[in-house]
Amino acid sequence: MGFMSGVVTGVALAAGAAAWYMSRSGERFRDQYRVDRKLGELGDQLEMRTREIQATVNTQLAEMRAKGSDEAAITGDAPLDAARASAAEAAAELAADVEDKAAKVKKSAKDAASD
């Protein structure tokens, strides 16, 4: 029975020592490389860069909108509203369908004439 208790005690001590060593080595790694701080700084830099890009894009969009409204005022053309835009899209789709059907009819007429 003494042998078994020695084995169990040895395994328990080894497991405890391994856990302690792992915690110490992880702490040393974190202290040595300061991983947490570097990740925080990287996140802050990404957030700052994202804000800069967003501000630049918003500025460019505002300039493009202003330029479009200035050109419309000069030429007298009002920009298309949503109803006109959807009507134009529907007309374009209808024209494409008509052209497809006309091409099919023309092809079938040509095939019938060649027979």
Side-chain angles (χ1 to χ4, degrees), residues 2 7 13 30 44 46 55 59-60 79-80 93-94 105 110:
V7 169
L13 285 175
R30 286 189 301 274
D44 292 342
L46 285 174
T59 303
Q60 290 174 350
L80 290 177
E93 289 176 6
L94 182 62
V105 168
K110 187 177 181 181

Side-chain angles (χ1 to χ4, degrees), residues 5 79 88:
S5 63

Side-chain angles (χ1 to χ4, degrees), residues 62-104:
E63 289 174 0
M64 294 299 288
R65 287 182 183 139
K67 183 179 178 183
S69 64
D70 290 345
E71 288 178 4
I74 291 171
T75 61
D77 295 333
L80 290 177
D81 59 354
R84 287 185 182 175
S86 64
E89 289 176 3
E93 289 176 6
L94 182 62
D97 289 340
V98 169
E99 286 182 35
D100 280 342
K101 289 178 183 176
K104 287 179 185 177

Side-chain angles (χ1 to χ4, degrees), residues 3-111:
F3 175 75
M4 290 301 281
S5 63
V7 169
V8 170
T9 303
V11 169
L13 285 175
W20 175 81
Y21 178 75
M22 286 176 58
S23 70
R24 297 296 296 171
S25 66
E27 181 181 340
R28 183 177 51 203
F29 173 79
R30 286 189 301 274
D31 289 343
Q32 182 178 0
Y33 296 106
R34 304 189 193 290
V35 174
D36 296 336
R37 187 181 330 155
K38 286 183 181 180
L39 287 175
E41 290 173 1
L42 181 63
D44 292 342
Q45 289 174 356
L46 285 174
E47 182 179 354
M48 184 174 57
R49 184 66 181 142
T50 303
R51 287 183 182 173
E52 288 174 2
I53 291 171
Q54 185 176 10
T56 303
V57 168
N58 287 340
T59 303
Q60 290 174 350
L61 284 174
E63 289 174 0
M64 294 299 288
R65 287 182 183 139
K67 183 179 178 183
S69 64
D70 290 345
E71 288 178 4
I74 291 171
T75 61
D77 295 333
L80 290 177
D81 59 354
R84 287 185 182 175
S86 64
E89 289 176 3
E93 289 176 6
L94 182 62
D97 289 340
V98 169
E99 286 182 35
D100 280 342
K101 289 178 183 176
K104 287 179 185 177
V105 168
K106 184 178 179 181
K107 184 180 180 211
S108 61
K110 187 177 181 181
D111 290 342

